[in-house]
Amino acid sequence: MRLRALHLPTGRPVWSFQRSRPTARTLHDPRLAGSGLVHLLDEGALLALDQGSGREVWRFAPGPLTQGPLVERGTVYAVSHAPEGREGREGRDGWDTVLALDADTGALRWQRQAARCGGAGCGFELLGLRPQGLYVKVPQGGRRGLLGRSSDPHVAVLDPASGRARRHWDHPPLAGADALLIGDHLVLSRPELTAYGLP
């Protein structure tokens, strides 16, 4: 599979980049940062490509990535899940880890084991960065989880400089709802489309 860059006015190909064979957890949504780099997820690695040439500038491979990247204010945020137990065993517990990398160099700024969970429902959803912090949707987490005492879905607000939890928000209930950050509101899809002011 190839990622292709086109010249918008003419549609002329500018460059292409050979990607690894996609998997179910690979997101084909490169994000442009102001630095002239294209940041993307390619199987278990985060990559930055030069926007003009397609040349690989840096690569960071933390393990299985569940979502990403979110590029905000010179930082690339991503989430990885590290299962525990025997290889190939389905539904085993593991840790969701939030990562922050320098968008220009790929240097690791911080990584934090954020919650322990198990099964296919694992995987934080990065909602966005606001003045209050980095908002993440936590689909589940056991009692040993670090972002909350409840196993119910909730929103956590992390310090973007360190990854430490600033706030745990479990109202409104998030079970089964898609969530978006729009301006200063959290918008949920269920039971009906509803917007809530951010805490």
Side-chain angles (χ1 to χ4, degrees):
M1 176 175 187
R2 300 195 75 83
L3 176 68
R4 301 180 188 277
L6 305 177
H7 183 248
L8 281 178
T10 64
R12 176 180 56 83
V14 178
W15 52 261
S16 67
F17 178 80
Q18 181 65 47
R19 300 186 68 182
S20 302
R21 186 172 63 86
T23 67
R25 288 189 178 270
T26 300
L27 301 181
H28 309 291
D29 185 18
R31 306 294 176 97
L32 287 174
S35 62
L37 298 177
V38 179
H39 299 89
L40 65 142
L41 179 65
D42 189 27
E43 287 196 338
L46 286 164
L47 286 77
L49 307 180
D50 181 84
Q51 183 178 342
S53 66
R55 176 183 60 86
E56 185 177 314
V57 177
W58 58 258
R59 173 185 293 259
F60 185 84
L65 291 157
T66 62
Q67 189 215 354
L70 173 67
V71 183
E72 295 274 3
R73 302 176 193 174
T75 302
V76 180
Y77 299 98
V79 177
S80 67
H81 179 73
E84 299 171 341
R86 292 179 305 174
E87 192 69 28
R89 182 183 162 197
E90 296 296 329
R92 61 190 181 278
D93 287 347
W95 285 96
D96 282 336
T97 300
V98 183
L99 308 149
L101 308 173
D102 184 278
D104 290 329
T105 66
L108 181 66
R109 291 183 171 169
W110 53 262
Q111 64 180 352
R112 184 165 293 275
Q113 284 188 332
R116 191 171 188 268
C117 67
C122 286
F124 283 12
E125 182 180 347
L126 299 170
L127 298 176
L129 189 66
R130 295 294 184 272
Q132 301 93 319
L134 177 66
Y135 282 77
V136 295
K137 178 183 174 186
V138 183
Q140 65 168 299
R143 293 181 180 178
R144 293 175 56 193
L146 301 181
L147 288 184
R149 297 173 184 154
S150 170
S151 62
D152 296 329
H154 60 275
V155 171
V157 186
L158 308 183
D159 180 350
S162 66
R164 290 188 178 91
R166 287 180 171 173
R167 186 163 192 153
H168 170 231
W169 189 32
D170 54 11
H171 178 79
L174 297 176
D178 293 326
L180 292 172
L181 274 191
I182 300 177
D184 292 330
H185 291 82
L186 176 71
V187 179
L188 300 182
S189 62
R190 295 182 185 177
E192 59 188 18
L193 196 61
T194 308
Y196 299 87
L198 294 179

